[in-house]
């Protein structure tokens, strides 16, 4: 099964874990890992170093999956680059559309170009890697703050962990409390990763990515700041690993670009799509059905509004032409 096919299953599992209160099921094994590695490492910063080791182990295990995802995203970006001439025509048609029908044709044309060329509108993105990591940093959060786990006082390991982790710090940063320093460092690391990921990307696509380049660092700043420094350390080291991963993909991009240019055949369908000559298939996915329903409702609303405007105009015209009104107007 492909990674993309795993995403809905993983999401269902994550939702079940959350609503059943089992989202912290990894807290105990992660606490044991931290304690054992801390004993071997020794020193005041042993817990922090154990979190860094854990982060690197998790990221190395996930590296093949993440590189595969980054490769797919890069290939989709290169395909989109070759489709830009058609997309510019769609943008121009959208700008010049006068009627609702023309607007719908322009909107459908974009989806048609992607569909006929077998290109994903999501750019090869999937959320499997994020979903897989969620139980890990939830477990890490629970291992550092056992009191968030339901009935933690009845768990011997949680009570012991609570006493041992209480004064844990990493170079003076208390791991059980939020850290502004780590939040800023994590935001800067994600900003660097976002910038590196935009290198080699065509300018049109870079403009589309620019919003995410600002959103991701800000989002990770708040996510790191509202949690404890232990999880913040996990986020920060994870961002450093992502920078290495991005550098690998950037070095790989010229090869992927040549591969796409030699294997991808562009279907020029924009003119037929804008003219409504290509039949639209029935939507199969939930999102596609919702989009079609929204478009149909908007079209009906616009038609109703248009008929109402015509009726109101006709009434006004009749009133102004009525003999009494005409007389009144003449009298005035």
């Amino acid at each position: 099964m492909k990674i993309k096919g795993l995403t809905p299953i993983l999401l269902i599992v994550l939702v079940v874990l959350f609503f059943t209160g089992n989202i912290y099921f990894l807290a105990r094994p992660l606490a044991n890992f931290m304690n054992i590695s801390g004993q071997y490492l020794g020193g005041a910063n042993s817990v922090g170093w154990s979190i860094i080791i854990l982060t690197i182990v998790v990221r190395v295990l996930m590296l093949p999956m993440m590189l595969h995802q980054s490769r797919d995203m890069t290939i989709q970006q290169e395909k989109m680059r070759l489709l830009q001439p058609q997309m510019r025509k769609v943008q121009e048609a959208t700008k010049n559309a006068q009627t609702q029908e023309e607007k719908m044709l322009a909107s459908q044309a974009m989806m048609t170009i992607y569909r006929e060329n077998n290109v994903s509108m999501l750019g090869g993105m999937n959320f499997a890697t994020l979903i897989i990591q969620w139980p890990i940093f939830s477990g890490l959060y629970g291992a550092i703050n056992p009191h968030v786990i339901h009935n933690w006082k009845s768990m011997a390991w949680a009570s012991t962990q609570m006493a041992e982790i209480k004064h844990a710090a990493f170079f003076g940063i208390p791991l059980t409390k939020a850290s502004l320093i780590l939040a800023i460092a994590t935001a800067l690391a994600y900003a660097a990763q976002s910038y590196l990921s935009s290198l080699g990307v065509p300018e049109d696509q870079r403009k589309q990515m620019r919003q995410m380049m600002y959103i991701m660092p800000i989002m990770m700043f708040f996510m790191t700041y509202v949690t404890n420094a232990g999880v913040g350390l996990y986020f920060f080291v994870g961002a450093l690993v992502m920078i290495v991963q991005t550098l690998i993909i950037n070095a790989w991009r010229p090869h992927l670009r040549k591969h796409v240019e030699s294997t991808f055949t562009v279907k020029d369908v924009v003119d037929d799509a804008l003219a409504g000559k290509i039949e639209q298939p029935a939507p199969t996915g939930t999102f596609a059905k919702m989009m079609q329903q929204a478009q149909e409702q908007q079209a009906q609303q616009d038609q109703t509004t248009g008929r109402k405007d015509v009726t109101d105009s006709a009434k006004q015209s009749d009133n102004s032409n009525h003999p009494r009104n005409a007389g009144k107007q003449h009298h005035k």
Side-chain angles (χ1 to χ4, degrees):
M1 182 183 291
K2 293 183 178 180
I3 297 175
K4 185 177 179 180
L6 285 173
T7 303
I9 299 174
L10 293 172
L11 184 59
I12 292 172
V13 172
L14 182 63
V15 171
V16 171
L17 289 173
F18 181 80
F19 282 102
T20 57
N22 294 313
I23 193 66
Y24 299 110
F25 73 99
L26 289 177
R28 183 173 183 177
L30 291 181
N32 293 335
F33 174 86
M34 289 164 56
N35 292 330
I36 294 172
S37 58
Q39 290 174 4
Y40 278 103
L41 294 170
N45 302 314
S46 59
V47 176
W49 286 117
S50 67
I51 293 173
I52 292 175
I53 293 172
L54 172 66
T55 307
I56 293 174
V57 169
V58 170
R59 290 289 181 164
V60 168
L61 291 176
M62 294 183 63
L63 189 60
M65 182 186 297
M66 298 180 76
L67 284 175
H68 182 272
Q69 176 179 315
S70 297
R71 176 185 178 275
D72 286 348
M73 289 179 63
T74 304
I75 289 176
Q76 292 296 322
Q77 288 173 355
E78 292 301 321
K79 288 181 177 181
M80 289 178 180
R81 179 178 63 86
L82 298 178
L83 295 177
Q84 283 304 306
Q86 295 186 64
M87 299 310 298
R88 292 192 190 98
K89 286 188 177 181
V90 173
Q91 292 170 359
E92 190 67 25
T94 302
K95 187 187 301 183
N96 297 329
Q98 300 294 327
T99 65
Q100 182 61 27
E101 182 181 2
E102 291 176 347
K103 293 178 182 178
M104 286 187 63
L105 284 174
S107 176
Q108 291 173 353
M110 181 174 64
M111 294 184 286
T112 300
I113 293 170
Y114 283 126
R115 185 184 68 249
E116 294 297 321
N117 287 277
N118 195 27
V119 174
S120 171
M121 292 186 68
L122 295 177
M125 288 182 61
N126 71 75
F127 302 97
T129 52
L130 179 61
I131 295 172
I132 290 173
Q133 289 183 77
W134 193 271
I136 296 173
F137 56 72
S138 294
L140 185 60
Y141 185 84
I144 297 173
N145 291 299
H147 65 274
V148 301
I149 304 173
H150 182 63
N151 290 331
W152 69 274
K153 290 183 179 180
S154 62
M155 305 174 188
W157 74 267
S159 300
T160 304
Q161 179 71 1
M162 192 71 179
E164 292 181 353
I165 203 74
K166 186 176 182 180
H167 302 292
F170 187 67
F171 291 100
I173 300 175
L175 295 178
T176 58
K177 299 178 181 178
S179 171
L180 180 61
I181 295 174
L182 270 177
I184 294 173
T186 302
L188 292 175
Y190 269 91
Q193 189 273 331
S194 298
Y195 171 75
L196 290 173
S197 65
S198 69
L199 297 179
V201 177
E203 183 59 29
D204 290 338
Q205 294 182 41
R206 191 178 301 176
K207 290 179 180 178
Q208 298 173 4
M209 296 171 61
R210 200 159 288 160
Q211 186 177 8
M212 185 58 66
M213 289 173 63
Y214 295 119
I215 291 176
M216 184 59 72
I218 294 173
M219 184 179 71
M220 292 308 301
F221 170 83
F222 285 106
M223 283 185 65
T224 305
Y225 186 66
V226 299
T227 187
N228 57 60
V231 178
L233 191 58
Y234 176 88
F235 286 150
F236 173 65
V237 177
L240 297 181
V241 176
M242 285 183 64
I243 289 175
V244 175
Q245 172 189 322
T246 304
L247 291 173
I248 294 173
I249 289 296
N250 285 353
W252 201 2
R253 184 181 288 274
H255 170 74
L256 294 176
R257 178 170 294 175
K258 290 181 181 179
H259 171 73
V260 170
E261 290 176 349
S262 62
T263 59
F264 180 57
T265 302
V266 176
K267 293 183 180 180
D268 192 348
V269 297
V270 62
D271 293 331
D272 289 340
L274 290 173
K277 296 180 180 180
I278 299 179
E279 185 178 352
Q280 299 295 322
T284 54
T286 304
F287 179 76
K289 290 180 180 178
M290 291 174 61
M291 287 289 292
Q292 185 186 49
Q293 186 178 6
Q295 288 179 346
E296 291 174 352
Q297 290 176 351
Q298 183 64 40
Q300 291 175 359
Q301 184 179 354
D302 289 345
Q303 288 175 1
T304 303
T305 304
R307 286 196 296 267
K308 184 178 179 181
D309 291 341
V310 171
T311 303
D312 292 343
S313 298
K315 288 182 179 179
Q316 292 176 3
S317 177
D318 290 342
N319 289 335
S320 63
N321 293 328
H322 194 277
R324 283 184 304 175
N325 294 335
K328 291 178 180 178
Q329 290 178 0
H330 179 72
H331 177 69
K332 290 180 181 179

